[in-house]
């Protein structure tokens, strides 16, 4: 998914010469299902046809620069031969859901402020509501752009993770490859990290506004430092809010599940991050792993759950057989980790000390069913947050926020009013 922004640049640059046909080579069982692929095409807003290579016949990606060089040479060669045809092909744009939300990626429950922040990802905005669903504010115009300014005139590009500090909201603006600061009291949005272009540098620290980020997916704040799950280059980054410097914190940039010192460890598409105040915990999605690292520069990365890039499943327990399938969301609450086990369509509880994992809610079958935890159904939940004994879940492919009452063990859908 991190290659799609680069692919869109190519489609725009070679609009008259290039016809794209995507080949989806599924790794996870859920990804092989046609319904899951259709949802992914709509979520990623792809306008070209996609073939489902469910038997995994081919894999691999290229960068924009590699593709650009290849395509530029081909266009020149075919022009010289007189065989280049530039007549447009008929296209059918992806259908947008009619729901109030569109593929919400993350949700943040602010217990102290009585507010719920929803990353309405495919509508390119942040929705602010009460815990009862009464919409108080919408941040962003909905335009797919990088625009600072007032809350109503600013613009985002597929925002995801958020963290709140008083009346300041920090947002991982994923496809803008930027971190945004939303001052709710002053009513202003500003970019504090990222140039707006996707970058692939994996070393060094520098002023945050001059550093190109790569698909920041989630953020957490601790002691004046914003920690970023930088999914696009398989690292965790840290942003010093006082000095404005940003750079890699953990991970070499090599896609792997390798424990050890922060700088040499191997991560794989970290997409969710949280903290207990002593350590960072993160969902390392591509290895279907839950991992942690120390909150000091001489610390290490350790794996709680997960074995490898191709080791996944849906197995609860308290030993090495525990498996998840591409978890994306994670939060810490009362000494326990709660995980959106995305491709298993479940919410799970992880005990860090024993490395045990147990299903909290969801049957494992995708769907949209409220009711008791054991009967409720979700469709690729990607984010979760807890306040006042309730878990708020970004049920992404259902375009909904679900509420799991941790006292009654019942799941309900949050009805948004005023949106």
């Amino acid at each position: 998914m991190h290659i799609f922004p680069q692919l869109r640049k190519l489609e725009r640059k070679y609009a008259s010469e290039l016809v794209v046909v995507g080949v989806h080579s599924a790794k996870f069982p859920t990804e092989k299902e046609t319904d899951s692929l259709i949802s992914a095409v709509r979520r990623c807003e792809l306008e070209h046809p996609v073939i489902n290579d469910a038997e995994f016949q081919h894999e691999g990606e290229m960068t924009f620069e590699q593709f650009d060089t290849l395509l530029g040479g081909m266009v020149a060669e075919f022009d010289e031969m007189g065989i280049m045809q530039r007549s447009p092909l008929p296209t059918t744009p992806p259908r947008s859901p009619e729901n109030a939300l569109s593929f919400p990626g993350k949700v943040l429950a602010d217990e102290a402020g009585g507010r719920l922040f929803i990353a309405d990802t495919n509508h390119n905005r942040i929705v602010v509501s009460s815990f009862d669903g009464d919409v108080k504010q919408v941040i962003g115009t909905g335009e797919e752009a990088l625009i600072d300014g007032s809350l109503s005139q600013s613009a985002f590009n597929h925002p995801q993770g958020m963290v709140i500090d008083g009346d300041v909201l920090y947002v991982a603006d994923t496809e803008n490859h930027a971190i945004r600061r939303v001052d709710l009291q002053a009513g202003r949005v500003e970019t504090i990290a990222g140039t707006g272009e996707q970058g692939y540098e994996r070393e060094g620290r520098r002023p945050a506004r001059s550093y190109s980020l790569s698909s920041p997916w989630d953020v957490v704040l601790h002691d004046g430092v914003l920690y970023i799950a930088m999914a696009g280059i398989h690292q965790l980054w840290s942003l010093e809010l006082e000095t404005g410097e940003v750079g890699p914190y953990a991970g070499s940039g090599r896609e792997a599940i390798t424990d050890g010192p922060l700088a040499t460890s191997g991560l794989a598409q970290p997409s969710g991050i949280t903290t207990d105040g002593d350590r960072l915990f993160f969902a390392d999605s591509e290895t279907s792993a839950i991992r942690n690292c120390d909150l000091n520069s001489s610390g290490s990365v350790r794996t709680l759950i997960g074995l490898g890039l191709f080791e996944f499943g849906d197995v609860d327990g308290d030993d090495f057989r525990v498996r998840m399938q591409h978890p994306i969301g994670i939060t810490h609450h009362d000494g326990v980790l709660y995980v959106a086990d995305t491709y298993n369509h479940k919410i799970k509880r992880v005990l860090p000390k024993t490395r045990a994992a147990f299903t909290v809610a969801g049957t494992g079958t995708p769907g949209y069913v409220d009711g008791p935890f054991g009967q409720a159904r979700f469709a690729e939940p990607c984010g979760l947050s807890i306040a006042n004994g309730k878990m708020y879940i970004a049920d992404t492919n259902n375009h909904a926020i679900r509420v799991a009452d941790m006292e009654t063990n019942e799941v309900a859908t949050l009805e948004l009013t005023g949106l």
Side-chain angles (χ1 to χ4, degrees):
M1 66 182 67
H2 307 291
I3 200 68
F4 292 147
Q6 306 299 314
L7 184 59
R8 278 191 278 270
K9 288 171 61 178
L10 289 167
E11 290 181 290
R12 289 193 294 266
K13 181 173 181 178
Y14 296 99
S16 300
E17 298 90 0
L18 176 65
V19 175
V20 174
V21 177
V23 179
H24 171 67
S25 298
K27 168 184 172 180
F28 296 99
T30 293
E31 294 177 331
K32 297 180 181 181
E33 299 171 3
T34 300
D35 287 345
S36 296
L37 177 56
I38 290 172
S39 292
V41 168
R42 291 174 178 166
R43 184 172 66 246
C44 296
E45 299 174 320
L46 303 183
E47 298 184 7
H48 56 259
V50 178
I51 297 170
N52 189 5
D53 176 22
E55 300 304 318
F56 201 56
Q57 299 297 313
H58 180 72
E59 62 174 317
E61 296 177 348
M62 294 173 67
T63 66
F64 170 82
E65 289 75 18
Q66 291 170 321
F67 262 128
D68 191 26
T69 299
L70 175 63
L71 291 172
M74 293 172 64
V75 168
E77 179 183 349
F78 296 157
D79 269 336
E80 186 176 347
M81 297 170 62
I83 60 174
M84 174 63 72
Q85 296 186 22
R86 289 182 165 82
S87 55
L89 293 175
T91 60
T92 301
R95 185 181 62 186
S96 298
E98 297 177 357
N99 310 58
L101 302 177
S102 179
F103 296 103
K106 300 285 187 181
V107 62
L108 172 65
D110 173 24
E111 185 169 321
R115 298 170 292 191
L116 194 67
F117 297 91
I118 303 166
D120 191 7
T121 303
N122 277 37
H123 281 151
N124 304 298
R125 63 186 183 179
I126 307 297
V127 174
V128 188
S129 80
S130 69
F131 291 140
D132 294 327
D134 182 17
V135 174
K136 304 295 186 182
Q137 213 166 29
V138 175
I139 305 170
T141 63
E143 178 186 1
E144 190 177 291
L146 178 60
I147 300 174
D148 289 342
S150 68
L151 301 186
S152 61
Q153 296 177 336
S154 61
F156 299 81
N157 190 346
H158 294 80
Q160 292 280 349
M162 303 161 290
V163 66
I164 191 76
D165 182 20
D167 278 323
V168 175
L169 180 74
Y170 296 96
V171 181
D173 196 4
T174 302
E175 292 199 18
N176 271 327
H177 311 289
I179 302 298
R180 315 292 293 280
R181 182 182 186 272
V182 182
D183 189 324
L184 296 164
Q185 188 171 21
R188 303 289 296 178
V189 176
E190 65 172 324
T191 302
I192 62 171
T195 63
E197 296 293 327
Q198 188 170 15
Y200 296 95
E201 294 182 68
R202 293 174 168 86
E203 297 179 353
R205 302 187 67 81
R206 68 181 65 170
R209 287 299 304 271
S210 66
Y211 217 143
S212 295
L213 311 186
S214 184
S215 299
W217 216 270
D218 202 2
V219 288
V220 69
L221 183 64
H222 175 74
D223 198 20
V225 179
L226 195 68
Y227 294 92
I228 307 165
M230 199 73 73
I233 47 177
H234 314 300
Q235 290 180 318
L236 302 183
W237 281 34
S238 61
L239 168 59
E240 302 278 349
L241 294 178
E242 184 175 346
T243 65
E245 286 197 342
V246 71
Y249 179 78
S252 64
R254 181 173 60 92
E255 186 180 28
I257 183 168
T258 306
D259 290 348
L262 295 177
T264 59
S265 61
L267 316 185
Q269 205 180 105
S271 301
I273 190 169
T274 189
T275 184
D276 64 355
D278 294 320
R279 293 166 292 174
L280 297 173
F281 296 90
F282 57 100
D284 215 21
S285 300
E286 198 63 21
T287 53
S288 299
I290 303 300
R291 309 176 72 185
N292 68 44
C293 66
D294 299 301
L295 279 166
N296 65 74
S297 58
S298 60
S300 299
V301 172
R302 293 168 294 274
T303 299
L304 299 178
I305 294 170
L307 290 176
L309 280 165
F310 292 90
E311 296 285 345
F312 48 82
D314 184 7
V315 182
D316 291 351
D318 56 3
D319 58 24
F320 68 93
R321 287 185 289 270
V322 172
R323 296 287 185 274
M324 295 187 180
Q325 189 182 179
H326 206 270
I328 290 179
I330 186 170
T331 193
H332 178 272
H333 182 72
D334 285 346
V336 175
L337 298 172
Y338 291 88
V339 177
D341 193 2
T342 305
Y343 283 2
N344 281 328
H345 316 288
K346 288 183 174 183
I347 305 301
K348 293 192 175 181
R349 181 175 67 248
V350 174
L351 308 180
K353 291 184 179 179
T354 63
R355 297 168 34 166
F358 305 96
T359 297
V360 174
T363 65
T365 300
Y368 195 166
V369 178
D370 286 339
F373 279 6
Q375 299 174 22
R377 291 190 182 185
F378 307 92
E380 295 191 19
C382 289
L384 68 171
S385 187
I386 297 173
N388 301 317
K390 294 181 179 179
M391 184 188 308
Y392 296 85
I393 302 163
D395 195 7
T396 303
N397 282 4
N398 278 328
H399 314 290
I401 301 300
R402 315 288 292 282
V403 185
D405 190 315
M406 299 168 73
E407 293 184 7
T408 64
N409 293 338
E410 293 275 337
V411 173
T413 297
L414 182 68
E415 297 295 337
L416 294 172
T417 58
L419 185 60

